[in-house]
Amino acid sequence: MTSNNETGATSAKSAASFLSTPIMALLFIAIGGIVVWDTTSYTDADSYVFPRTVAGAMIGLSILLILQWMLGLSGPARPDQVEGLTQSITRRVLLVSAMVAAALAMPYLGFLITGLIAFAIILLASMYDPWTPYRIIVYPLSGIGIVIGFYLLFARVLQVPLPQGPFSF
Amino acid sequence: MAAIENLYDALSPLNFLLALGGVVAGTVIGSLPGLTATMAVAVLVPITFSMEPASALILMGAIYTGAIYGGAYSAILLNTPGTPSAIATTFDGYPMAKRGDGDLAVTLACIASVAGGLVGAVCLLLLAPPLAGVALAFGPVEYFWLAVFGLSLIAALSEGNLLKALIGGCLGLLLSAIGVAEVSADIRLTFGSQVLIGGIETVSALIGLYCIPVLIDLIATPDKHLKVTSESKGLRLKEAMAISWRGKFNLMRSSIIGTIVGILPGAGGSIAGLVAYSEARRTAKNQDEFGKGAPDGVQATEAANNATVGGGFIPTLVLGIPGTPPDAVILGALLVQGVKVGPNLFTSESSIVYTFIYGLFLATILMLPTGLIIGRYAYRSIIAIPKALLVPTVAFMTLIGTYSIRNSTSDVVIMVLLGVIGWILGRLGFSASPIVLGLILGSIAEQGFVQAWTIGSATGDLTGMFFGRPIAMAIVAMIVISLLGPTIVSLVRGGKKEASK
């Protein structure tokens, strides 16, 4: 039963990998079409000649890519492109979500607080080793030191106006 | 006699300390993703107002040259160019680091940067007035072809499927068109979004496309970030010197390319690095190794981008036209000091100019010991820091670095989203480098193309405009050789093998 499931998962992955090229080519054709449509609203020829030409080239190249795939000339996906997709999705999603959330929360909480929270979440997400007493003390303290150090470097030394929150200094 | 006096002035304890401090500060700032050489110089300009003009120039030149070199650290160790000049350093530097040669790559980058910086400074010292004419000989059409030459590198970066690389290049060119058009001020490809009117900021896009995919992969496994050999090999200076000596022609050619591209206003270190990388690859016997950790690739890029420092000062000082963005900041600082740049500067205020040039030599030479020490420390830090701290630290640096470019949270969101898109595209065979090439070269290509088109249409000689100018034709010839050269060489080799059988 397990073997059947594994075989099914592998074949599904192979099918997805096989179909990714034409799907992406169609997506790029759509993007090119949207760009060409957008250029019709420009008032000056100087504005549309470049993006329209590039979009046309992208559509043409995407059609060629589909033809290449249909003729079986596009080659197999590299092993490193296929494997690894099954590795921890949760940690990856946590990383990206924490970074986007930090960017959105910055104007309200200030850079320092959002930086500390984002650092803590990403630290937890990237932790594979067991939490020993040493790590429980040293890792959070290092994180606080790194965030405050960079904050002071940018805000005070380089005079970058980072968003101020309720607890900024 | 005057030359000795100027050299003596340049070596005064104050100027020596300024050169040393400037190189160290520039190297550290340049190594942080998001902080460019322009920003490093701009931040420290106010300090120079109370100094003698020559000392101020030495400090700014030292910061500038240090920042250009510092960009190599994060390019090699994190696959994130610290400055745009180090884009091509990632192509071979990061693969070298991944296979356990990060220390060697950092040392090679340092030697190449010093070599390139010295060649640029020699050209500034001996050939400034005649070379300044090159800047005036470049019109819009030459800039257009130069950008196309940079884009021709896409063929080299195709990683197996040229069509996918070309599509990626087109995507990058379209991304560069987002926002207000530079030539006609139409708002393009924003689809009503206020956030996109300012366009996609190049450095934040670079950080996103190069660094975020690395973080996404890094967090998913417990494996070490870089391969580490069991015993410490130190700086590997002897090995790096031997490689540099073997690649001396590559170093010299790349340095000259960097100097010439530096002279061209607006071109900058990123184009210099890309053009030099392309030439190094074209002329190399081991072309297949490029992109997989070839030391020649790191040397070419780093020599070229540091040579732009001396090259960029040529039009800045002789013509008052800044060769690179940091030169524009330095030019502003000089004007505040009351120094009148122009053709007469080398005669009327020769003591300032020559003291500065000798100071630039000093700063470049000081970059060797300081760069090696800082590079060694950076490498050891990256391999020693546990993954649970490395990933959040790099992620936090990308956040703060991206925000500080335009003080914009939207740029941060765009950076992360571009990173995710880059990761997905990478998984599907569309690598990030062609997208980045398109993004960086898009505005130069478009501006040159539209201006040349307008002039050609007005004069009724469009073909002559694009294909009738000697410099333009020389660049076109280089593009053709760059694109078709490898194919012709392999055909000739194949033919010879057949004949020998």
Side-chain angles (χ1 to χ4, degrees):
Chain A
M1 187 69 188
T2 314
S3 172
N4 281 345
N5 283 344
E6 277 174 11
T7 315
T10 311
S11 60
K13 216 186 299 172
S14 308
S17 170
F18 180 68
L19 288 173
S20 66
T21 298
I23 291 170
M24 288 309 294
L26 288 172
L27 183 69
F28 284 120
I29 289 171
I31 292 171
I34 292 168
V35 171
V36 172
W37 167 75
D38 191 70
T39 59
T40 55
S41 64
Y42 306 159
T43 53
D44 198 324
D46 290 349
S47 299
Y48 64 68
V49 65
F50 186 77
R52 197 177 284 182
T53 308
V54 175
M58 192 158 86
I59 291 169
L61 289 164
S62 301
I63 292 168
L64 282 176
L65 186 64
I66 292 173
L67 290 174
Q68 191 187 49
W69 172 79
M70 288 169 77
L71 296 170
L73 300 172
S74 57
R78 291 203 328 255
D80 63 313
Q81 289 164 1
V82 180
E83 70 186 35
L85 281 174
T86 50
Q87 292 157 343
S88 180
I89 296 288
T90 317
R91 291 175 197 262
R92 286 172 162 151
V93 171
L94 259 177
L95 168 79
V96 173
S97 310
M99 292 181 78
V100 173
L104 297 175
M106 263 178 222
Y108 308 103
L109 295 177
F111 200 94
L112 191 59
I113 298 295
T114 47
L116 284 168
I117 295 170
F119 196 101
I121 294 170
I122 300 169
L123 191 155
L124 290 170
S126 49
M127 190 68 188
Y128 282 91
D129 302 320
W131 281 102
T132 59
Y134 170 80
R135 289 184 183 128
I136 288 173
I137 296 167
V138 171
Y139 283 16
L141 284 179
S142 304
I144 291 167
I146 290 165
V147 171
I148 292 178
F150 272 108
Y151 177 81
L152 290 176
L153 172 71
F154 277 74
R156 296 297 166 89
V157 180
L158 303 175
Q159 300 289 316
V160 176
L162 296 173
Q164 297 292 305
F167 303 106
S168 294
F169 54 89
Chain B
M1 195 61 194
I4 295 169
E5 268 179 37
N6 296 329
L7 181 61
Y8 184 74
D9 286 344
L11 293 173
S12 73
L14 175 68
N15 287 342
F16 185 89
L17 282 175
L18 288 174
L20 183 66
V23 165
V24 172
T27 307
V28 172
I29 293 175
S31 67
L32 301 174
L35 291 185
T36 60
T38 314
M39 216 183 280
V41 175
V43 161
L44 297 167
V45 155
I47 302 169
T48 64
F49 289 151
S50 57
M51 295 177 184
E52 290 290 318
S55 300
L57 268 172
I58 288 173
L59 177 63
M60 289 187 285
I63 292 167
Y64 179 13
T65 201
I68 295 283
Y69 163 59
Y73 292 155
S74 42
I76 291 167
L77 301 173
L78 298 169
N79 197 36
T80 308
T83 60
S85 303
I87 292 166
T89 311
T90 59
F91 300 162
D92 286 291
Y94 188 60
M96 279 183 80
K98 282 193 89 171
R99 71 170 181 228
D101 285 330
D103 43 2
L104 179 65
V106 167
T107 305
L108 275 173
C110 186
I111 294 168
S113 296
V114 172
L118 288 176
V119 170
V122 167
C123 292
L124 176 63
L125 178 69
L126 302 176
L127 302 167
L131 275 181
V134 173
L136 300 178
F138 262 66
V141 73
E142 282 81 11
Y143 276 100
F144 167 68
W145 286 120
L146 188 69
V148 174
F149 185 39
L151 286 170
S152 71
L153 190 58
I154 286 174
L157 300 171
S158 56
E159 289 185 13
N161 194 324
L162 180 61
L163 281 176
K164 286 184 175 178
L166 290 171
I167 291 169
C170 288
L171 184 65
L173 289 170
L174 290 177
L175 288 174
S176 77
I178 291 174
V180 181
E182 284 188 39
V183 180
S184 52
D186 262 315
I187 293 174
R188 303 186 298 190
L189 304 173
T190 60
F191 306 104
S193 164
Q194 300 287 324
V195 168
L196 291 174
I197 287 178
I200 292 189
E201 210 291 319
T202 312
V203 179
S204 53
L206 273 183
I207 295 172
L209 286 166
Y210 277 119
C211 191
I212 299 298
V214 173
L215 289 178
I216 292 175
D217 283 335
L218 206 56
I219 204 167
T221 67
D223 302 340
K224 275 235 159 227
H225 168 46
L226 300 175
K227 191 181 167 190
V228 186
T229 47
S230 52
E231 79 278 19
S232 172
K233 293 180 181 173
L235 292 168
R236 299 174 75 175
L237 186 58
K238 206 172 168 185
E239 195 181 344
M241 290 296 268
I243 294 171
S244 300
W245 179 250
R246 280 202 300 275
K248 53 187 176 293
F249 293 115
N250 177 25
L251 276 180
M252 184 51 74
R253 182 187 51 239
S254 306
S255 303
I256 292 169
I257 289 172
T259 307
I260 293 170
V261 175
I263 292 168
L264 308 175
S270 53
I271 294 182
L274 291 167
V275 171
Y277 182 88
S278 182
E279 277 304 288
R281 186 182 180 277
R282 185 180 67 78
T283 54
K285 287 177 185 165
N286 56 341
Q287 286 184 1
D288 295 342
E289 288 176 27
F290 275 71
K292 296 168 190 160
D296 293 350
V298 176
Q299 285 178 308
T301 313
E302 285 304 306
N305 64 26
N306 264 90
T308 59
V309 177
F313 275 118
I314 293 172
T316 309
L317 297 177
V318 180
L319 303 172
I321 303 168
T324 58
D327 287 325
V329 181
I330 293 171
L331 183 64
L334 282 179
L335 294 175
V336 171
Q337 292 230 353
V339 176
K340 277 187 183 173
V341 291
N344 295 328
L345 183 70
F346 279 73
T347 48
S348 63
E349 297 193 80
S350 61
S351 66
I352 294 174
V353 174
Y354 287 108
T355 304
F356 157 63
I357 295 173
Y358 291 129
L360 193 61
F361 273 107
L362 175 68
T364 309
I365 292 165
L366 285 172
M367 200 161 70
L368 188 63
T370 55
L372 288 175
I373 293 166
I374 299 172
R376 178 78 187 135
Y377 180 73
Y379 176 68
R380 287 178 69 157
S381 305
I382 293 291
I383 59 171
I385 190 168
K387 184 180 252 188
L389 282 176
L390 179 69
V391 175
T393 303
V394 176
F396 179 73
M397 279 166 62
T398 63
L399 289 176
I400 199 166
T402 305
Y403 179 85
S404 65
I405 298 166
R406 291 198 298 199
N407 305 328
S408 161
T409 50
S410 306
D411 280 352
V412 182
V413 177
I414 290 170
M415 180 272 290
V416 179
L417 293 181
L418 275 177
V420 175
I421 292 168
W423 181 78
I424 294 168
L425 289 177
R427 290 285 162 188
L428 299 173
F430 297 85
S431 79
S433 297
I435 304 173
V436 168
L437 278 184
L439 185 61
I440 286 189
L441 299 172
S443 63
I444 297 173
E446 180 179 9
Q447 227 172 328
F449 178 77
V450 171
Q451 284 178 358
W453 182 275
T454 308
I455 296 167
S457 301
T459 55
D461 186 16
L462 213 52
T463 317
M465 187 68 204
F466 279 94
F467 298 101
R469 294 161 65 101
I471 297 176
M473 287 318 296
I475 303 171
V476 170
M478 283 160 67
I479 295 167
V480 173
I481 293 167
S482 172
L483 287 175
L484 300 181
T487 315
I488 293 166
V489 169
S490 63
L491 283 176
V492 170
R493 279 179 188 162
K496 276 182 184 173
K497 275 183 187 171
E498 286 288 316
S500 65
K501 278 180 186 174

